[in-house]
């Protein structure tokens, strides 16, 4: 019986490692085709939302917005990892189909369903619990930082904010710019806790 058991556990370990690899492989799609991004999100079983309104990027957000003919963004809800479900927007050039601006927002509010959102007592308990998760957010921030470091290996990195609950890093090279931030509210004032201020966010755009 020992040999079949060993094979079984090896198989489980292999499948888990493959699953983890599929989550981490090429997670940032700026500069790649929108089709490649959608294919990746489909593999993760992300939800692709239907966008009816016209969404336009302001020059303050994307200084090169007038350089390209941008399509309405693909808006996506990514459920992996489950601790950090993500709201994503991919703005892509209509002609080249290349993603020019992408934003990834890993936030507590993404985990809250509509029923809980309007149940004040239940929401308060969840927010209070989230106040104890700073270490988890910080670890996730560091993991993303490593991924982005590799992408901008030949570029410039600027660490602008280093407080435990307020971090900001920018990367830049000749082709693109990336901005990673962590915002974790001060939980000392328990009466004024807000569900929207547990955030790790990354924005990247092409020049």
């Amino acid at each position: 019986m020992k040999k079949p058991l060993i094979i079984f556990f090896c198989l489980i370990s292999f499948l888990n490692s493959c699953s983890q690899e599929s989550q981490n492989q090429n997670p940032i799609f700026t500069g790649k085709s929108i089709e490649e991004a959608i294919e990746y999100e489909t593999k993760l079983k992300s939800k692709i939302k239907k966008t009816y309104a016209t969404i336009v990027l302001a020059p303050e957000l994307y200084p090169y917005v007038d350089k390209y003919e941008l399509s309405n963004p693909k808006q996506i809800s990514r459920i992996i990892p489950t601790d950090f479900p993500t709201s994503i927007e991919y703005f892509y050039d209509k002609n080249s189909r290349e993603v020019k601006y992408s934003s990834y927002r890993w936030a507590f509010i993404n985990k809250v369903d509509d029923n809980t959102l309007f149940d004040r007592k239940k929401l308060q308990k969840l927010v209070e619990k989230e106040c104890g998760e700073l270490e988890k957010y910080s670890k996730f921030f560091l993991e993303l930082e490593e991924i982005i470091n590799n992408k901008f290996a030949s570029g410039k990195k600027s660490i602008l904010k280093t407080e435990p609950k307020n971090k900001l890093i920018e990367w830049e090279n000749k082709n693109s710019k990336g901005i990673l931030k962590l915002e974790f509210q001060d939980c000392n004032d328990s009466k004024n806790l807000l569900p929207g201020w547990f955030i790790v966010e990354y924005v990247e755009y092409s020049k």
Side-chain angles (χ1 to χ4, degrees):
M1 282 295 294
K2 287 185 178 180
K3 191 170 183 180
L5 281 174
I6 292 172
I7 293 172
F8 173 75
F9 284 118
C10 286
L11 178 61
I12 293 297
S13 176
F14 173 75
L15 290 174
N16 285 338
S17 65
C18 287
S19 175
Q20 188 66 35
E21 183 181 0
S22 67
Q23 294 171 25
N24 294 331
Q25 185 181 13
N26 299 324
I28 311 298
F29 284 93
T30 310
K32 300 179 181 179
S33 72
I34 186 62
E35 286 78 15
E36 188 175 351
I38 296 302
E39 181 183 2
Y40 177 84
E41 300 297 345
T42 302
K43 287 179 180 177
L44 294 184
K45 298 183 179 179
S46 301
K47 181 180 178 182
I48 302 172
K49 300 178 182 179
K50 291 184 179 180
T51 308
Y52 297 103
T54 300
I55 301 173
V56 180
L57 283 169
E60 291 79 11
L61 292 175
Y62 186 22
Y64 303 91
V65 66
D66 293 329
K67 184 177 178 180
Y68 305 103
E69 188 179 358
L70 296 178
S71 179
N72 228 28
K74 294 291 185 182
Q75 294 183 314
I76 292 164
S77 294
R78 186 190 291 174
I79 59 173
I80 294 177
T82 53
D83 280 352
F84 290 100
T86 322
S87 295
I88 303 170
E89 286 189 328
Y90 293 121
F91 288 84
Y92 59 96
D93 181 61
K94 290 181 179 179
N95 300 311
S96 67
R97 308 285 294 173
E98 183 179 294
V99 176
K100 297 297 183 182
Y101 181 103
S102 57
S103 68
Y104 302 81
R105 190 177 181 90
W106 296 268
F108 165 74
I109 197 70
N110 294 339
K111 297 189 287 185
V112 180
D113 59 40
D114 290 341
N115 291 331
T116 303
L117 191 61
F118 295 104
D119 185 332
R120 192 168 181 177
K121 289 184 179 179
K122 189 174 181 180
L123 181 61
Q124 178 74 9
K125 287 182 180 179
L126 289 175
V127 171
E128 289 174 358
K129 182 182 178 182
E130 201 71 9
C131 281
E133 300 290 354
L134 177 59
E135 184 177 348
K136 182 178 73 174
Y137 279 77
S138 299
K139 182 180 178 181
F140 188 64
F141 182 92
L142 288 173
E143 290 172 356
L144 290 171
E145 183 181 354
E146 288 183 13
I147 291 170
I148 303 163
N149 279 340
N150 291 332
K151 186 166 186 181
F152 285 86
S154 60
K156 177 185 176 183
K157 179 180 180 181
S158 302
I159 301 175
L160 304 177
K161 294 180 182 179
T162 59
E163 296 176 19
K165 295 183 178 182
N166 190 5
K167 300 176 185 288
L168 179 63
I169 303 175
E170 293 184 357
W171 292 261
E172 190 166 6
N173 58 29
K174 63 180 182 179
N175 297 316
S176 56
K177 182 173 182 176
I179 304 164
L180 177 66
K181 68 179 180 180
L182 179 151
E183 293 181 355
F184 196 95
Q185 68 181 303
D186 186 350
C187 293
N188 292 326
D189 187 0
S190 59
K191 293 183 179 180
N192 293 304
L193 295 176
L194 299 171
W197 292 108
F198 302 99
I199 301 166
V200 175
E201 184 176 51
Y202 181 64
V203 171
E204 185 177 304
Y205 58 78
S206 297
K207 294 182 178 179

